[in-house]
C-alpha cells in the first residue's frame, strides 16, 4: 500500500537529518575550540573543564564498575600463573630489600660526612588524575588541584618516582599537566656521572630523545638523567630516567615515571626567583673627566696627569746656570 502524506516517517526522517547535522557541527566546533592555542581560549577551556569534568563522576561510575567486573572475570584464568610469578618476585624482592637497606645506611653516612642539607622549602601538593587527554597530537592529563590550592604555571609534577611533566593551564579547581613526552615539552637535564648538559625534547613517544649534547661520546646507555635546574624551570636534581639507545641509534631517555598508571601526581612548589632591581650594586658609576680650568690659577689636581714636566723644569734651569757661569 502506498504511503500517505500523513505518514509519521515523513516527519521523522528530516528531523533525524537536522539532529545529525547539529551534532556534527557541535563536534566540529568542540574540536576547533580544543585546538586553538590562545591564552583567552585556554582560560575558557579551564573554566569549562571546572564545570563539566568534576560533575561527570556519577556518569562514569557504571562504566567503571562494568569494566572492573570484566577485567576481574578475565583475570581468573591466569591466577595460577600470576601466583607463581609473584612467588619468584617475592624471592627477588627480599634480596633487593637487603641491598636497599645497605644503600640507605651508606647514603645516611655520606650525607652526614658532607653535611648535606635538603631544601625545606621544596614542598608539594598532591592531586588526583581526573582525565587523560593523550592523543597523537597532545599528551597531557588533568588533576583536581588548581588556583584555589595555589598552583602556578610551570611547576614540576612527579608521580613519586620521577618527573611526569609541568603545569600548563590552571583553572580554579583543575590544572592541566603537559607530559615530558609531549612535543611541546623541552626540559634541560644533566646526564650523570659525566655531567653533560642536554635538552630532553618530547616527540609523542615513550622514549624522548636527548638533544644538544656537548659530548655525546661520553654518554653511555644506563646513565642517570636528572633535571639540571637551568632556566629556573624545574628544581635541580629531580630524577627523570635513564639513557637508552633507540632503534634509530639516537640517545633517548627511558622515563622513570610510570605513565601507564598515573593516579596521583605531586606538584612541587618551585622557588620564586628574586629579581635584581638595584643596578648600582652591580655596576659602578662611571668616572666623569675633569673639566677645563677657567680660573687661571694652577690646578693641582691636574699635575699628576701632565707626565714628568714639573721634574724637567729644574733640570733646564740648572743647565742654563751652568752655561752662564761658564761664559
Amino acid at each position: 500500500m502506498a504511503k500517505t502524506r500523513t505518514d509519521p516517517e515523513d516527519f521523522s526522517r528530516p528531523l533525524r537529518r537536522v539532529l545529525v547535522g547539529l551534532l556534527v557541527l557541535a563536534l566540529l566546533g568542540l574540536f576547533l575550540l580544543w585546538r586553538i592555542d590562545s591564552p583567552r581560549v585556554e582560560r575558557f577551556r579551564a573554566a569549562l573543564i571546572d564545570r563539566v569534568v568534576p560533575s561527570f563522576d556519577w556518569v562514569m561510575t557504571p562504566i567503571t564498575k562494568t569494566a572492573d567486573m570484566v577485567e576481574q572475570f578475565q583475570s581468573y584464568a591466569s591466577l595460577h600463573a600470576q601466583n607463581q610469578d609473584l612467588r619468584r618476585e617475592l624471592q627477588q624482592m627480599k634480596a633487593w630489600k637487603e641491598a636497599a637497606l645497605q644503600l640507605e645506611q651508606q647514603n645516611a653516612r655520606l650525607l652526614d660526612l658532607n653535611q648535606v642539607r635538603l631544601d625545606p622549602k621544596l614542598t608539594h601538593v598532591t592531586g588526583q588524575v581526573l582525565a587523560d587527554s593523550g592523543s597523537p597530537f597532545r599528551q597531557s592529563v588533568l588533576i583536581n588541584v588548581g588556583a584555589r590550592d595555589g598552583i602556578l604555571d610551570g611547576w614540576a609534577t612527579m608521580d613519586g618516582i620521577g618527573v611526569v611533566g609541568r603545569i600548563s593551564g590552571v583553572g580554579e579547581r583543575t590544572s592541566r599537566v603537559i607530559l615530558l613526552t609531549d612535543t611541546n615539552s623541552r626540559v634541560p637535564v644533566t646526564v650523570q656521572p659525566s655531567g653533560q648538559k642536554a635538552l630532553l625534547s618530547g616527540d609523542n613517544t615513550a622514549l624522548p630523545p636527548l638533544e644538544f649534547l656537548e659530548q655525546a661520546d661520553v654518554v653511555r646507555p644506563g646513565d642517570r638523567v636528572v633535571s639540571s635546574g637551568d632556566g629556573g624551570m624545574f628544581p635541580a636534581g629531580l630524577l627523570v630516567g635513564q639513557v637508552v639507545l633507540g632503534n634509530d641509534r639516537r640517545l633517548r631517555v627511558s622515563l622513570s615515571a610510570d605513565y601507564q598508571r598515573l593516579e596521583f601526581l605531586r606538584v612541587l612548589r618551585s622557588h620564586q626567583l628574586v629579581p635584581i632591581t638595584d643596578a648600582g650594586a652591580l655596576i659602578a658609576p662611571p668616572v666623569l673627566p675633569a673639566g677645563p680650568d677657567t680660573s687661571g690659577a694652577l690646578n693641582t689636581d691636574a699635575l699628576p696627569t701632565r707626565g714628568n714636566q714639573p721634574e724637567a723644569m729644574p733640570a733646564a734651569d740648572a743647565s742654563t746656570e751652568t752655561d752662564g757661569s761658564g761664559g
Side-chain angles (χ1 to χ4, degrees):
M1 186 175 64
K3 296 182 180 179
T4 61
R5 299 179 62 87
T6 59
D7 193 352
E9 189 176 358
D10 295 336
F11 299 96
S12 60
R13 184 179 301 172
L15 183 60
R16 286 197 300 267
R17 293 178 179 176
V18 171
L19 292 178
V20 171
L22 292 177
L23 181 60
V24 171
L25 291 178
L27 293 177
L28 182 60
L30 183 61
F31 173 78
L32 293 178
L33 176 64
W34 228 255
R35 294 300 299 168
I36 295 176
D37 190 7
S38 172
R40 183 175 299 176
V41 177
E42 182 65 27
R43 290 193 297 268
F44 176 77
R45 286 198 294 260
L48 183 62
I49 291 171
D50 287 340
R51 290 288 185 180
V52 175
V53 173
S55 61
F56 265 48
D57 293 337
W58 63 273
V59 177
M60 297 300 297
T61 300
I63 301 176
T64 304
K65 295 296 183 182
T66 304
D68 292 340
M69 292 177 61
V70 173
E71 184 178 357
Q72 290 175 3
F73 278 114
Q74 292 176 351
S75 64
Y76 288 152
S78 59
L79 282 179
H80 180 71
Q82 291 181 1
N83 190 17
Q84 297 299 324
D85 294 338
L86 288 175
R87 289 179 182 273
R88 288 191 295 268
E89 291 179 3
L90 182 59
Q91 296 297 327
Q92 296 176 0
M93 290 301 296
K94 290 181 179 179
W96 280 109
K97 179 181 178 181
E98 184 65 25
L101 291 175
Q102 295 178 2
L103 290 175
E104 183 179 4
Q105 295 175 0
Q106 182 181 4
N107 187 31
R109 289 194 298 267
L110 291 175
L111 290 175
D112 183 67
L113 290 175
N114 294 329
Q115 296 182 353
V116 175
R117 296 295 181 267
L118 300 178
D119 193 352
K121 297 181 180 180
L122 195 60
T123 58
H124 65 271
V125 178
T126 302
Q128 184 179 9
V129 176
L130 296 177
D132 185 355
S133 60
S135 67
F137 305 100
R138 171 175 291 181
Q139 295 190 5
S140 63
V141 295
L142 295 173
I143 56 178
N144 64 344
V145 291
R148 66 177 182 179
D149 304 294
I151 304 300
L152 298 178
D153 276 332
W155 282 3
T157 59
M158 302 182 66
D159 68 342
I161 300 177
V163 179
V164 174
R166 59 180 175 85
I167 298 294
S168 176
V170 180
E172 184 64 25
R173 293 179 294 174
T174 58
S175 300
R176 184 161 62 95
V177 178
I178 293 293
L179 304 181
L180 294 181
T181 55
D182 188 84
T183 54
N184 296 320
S185 177
R186 300 290 187 275
V187 178
V189 295
T190 301
V191 181
Q192 296 177 349
S194 61
Q196 294 296 312
K197 298 294 183 67
L199 193 66
L200 182 65
S201 301
D203 59 352
N204 284 344
T205 63
L207 301 174
L210 287 173
E211 297 181 350
F212 305 108
L213 274 169
E214 298 174 354
Q215 296 179 2
D217 54 344
V218 300
V219 178
R220 299 288 184 269
D223 289 351
R224 193 165 178 261
V225 180
V226 297
S227 59
S228 64
D230 295 338
M233 178 181 295
F234 286 171
L238 300 181
L239 178 62
V240 177
Q242 290 184 342
V243 178
V244 296
L245 188 62
N247 296 329
D248 54 355
R249 311 302 298 175
R250 296 180 62 185
L251 292 176
R252 296 178 176 269
V253 177
S254 176
L255 301 176
S256 298
D258 190 359
Y259 282 78
Q260 302 299 326
R261 299 179 180 178
L262 294 180
E263 297 181 1
F264 297 93
L265 294 182
R266 293 179 178 179
V267 183
L268 302 182
R269 294 189 178 98
S270 301
H271 294 266
Q272 297 292 335
L273 298 178
V274 180
I276 299 176
T277 57
D278 186 9
L282 298 178
I283 303 175
V287 179
L288 298 177
D293 188 11
T294 57
S295 60
L298 180 62
N299 189 357
T300 57
D301 296 337
L303 288 178
T305 62
R306 295 182 181 179
N308 54 359
Q309 183 178 355
E311 298 178 358
M313 290 177 62
D317 295 342
S319 62
T320 304
E321 291 175 0
T322 303
D323 295 338
S325 60

